[in-house]
Amino acid sequence: MVKRLPQKVFDSIYSKVPRLCVDLAVKNSQGILLTLRSIPPWKNMWHLPGGTVLFGETLEQAVKRIAKEELGVEVKVIKLFSPIEWPGKTVIGVHAVSIPHLVKITKGKIKLNNQAREFKFFNKFPTKTIKEHKSILKKIFT
């Protein structure tokens, strides 16, 4: 079983080294799912759900865990995309590298956790979308 680090240890480590993350591009016939952030960073911005890969966890395991935690669904990975980078002390406070995954919901109904207050499926990304996520969305929509 993969365990989370205490927040103080997590913050200490990721103040010194890049943080590996995954982002989920959930696709269906209506488009790509984006969630409207309800917490910082990027509060009130549309984004791809995602999060940190935990120690001992594969990328696919992280994708499936985050889908369950943030969206309440089970997913199947369809495709990986080029990494997105947030180098240095950016808006998220750490140097992060995220591997976006195109996924399909295989089980469950979307139920958001506290990180987002709304979700929608889009065929064009909205203006208030996180800049770095726009690059991956352009690849999906073209």
Side-chain angles (χ1 to χ4, degrees), residues 1-132:
M1 170 139 187
V2 179
K3 291 175 76 174
R4 292 181 189 274
L5 294 171
Q7 192 63 45
K8 191 173 181 177
V9 174
F10 180 91
D11 292 342
S12 173
I13 290 169
Y14 290 116
S15 69
K16 299 172 186 81
V17 299
R19 175 178 161 190
L20 179 61
C21 303
V22 292
D23 284 306
L24 286 63
V26 180
K27 187 174 183 181
N28 71 12
S29 60
Q30 299 170 300
I32 300 292
L33 177 133
L34 296 177
T35 60
L36 188 59
R37 294 277 296 176
S38 59
I39 61 171
W42 298 300
K43 186 174 180 177
N44 300 318
M45 296 286 289
W46 290 98
H47 87 306
L48 297 166
T52 303
V53 177
L54 302 177
F55 183 78
E57 190 174 50
T58 67
L59 294 176
E60 186 170 350
Q61 288 169 334
V63 165
K64 291 180 178 196
R65 174 183 52 79
I66 291 164
K68 195 66 158 164
E69 290 174 359
E70 292 192 18
L71 303 173
V73 296
E74 292 179 17
V75 296
K76 175 185 176 185
V77 173
I78 307 297
K79 181 180 180 180
L80 276 71
F81 288 96
S82 301
I84 300 171
E85 296 184 75
W86 290 272
K89 296 267 184 191
T90 60
V91 71
I92 59 174
V94 298
H95 179 158
V97 177
S98 185
I99 313 287
H101 289 68
L102 183 63
V103 300
K104 178 181 176 182
I105 295 174
T106 58
K107 186 176 181 185
K109 264 190 129 162
I110 296 171
K111 183 178 182 215
L112 301 174
N113 69 4
N114 70 322
Q115 294 184 39
R117 68 173 179 269
E118 185 180 344
F119 74 90
K120 286 185 185 176
F121 285 89
F122 292 91
N123 284 312
K124 286 190 201 173
F125 56 85
T127 354
K128 288 188 74 174
T129 301
I130 295 170
K131 181 181 83 170
E132 291 82 359

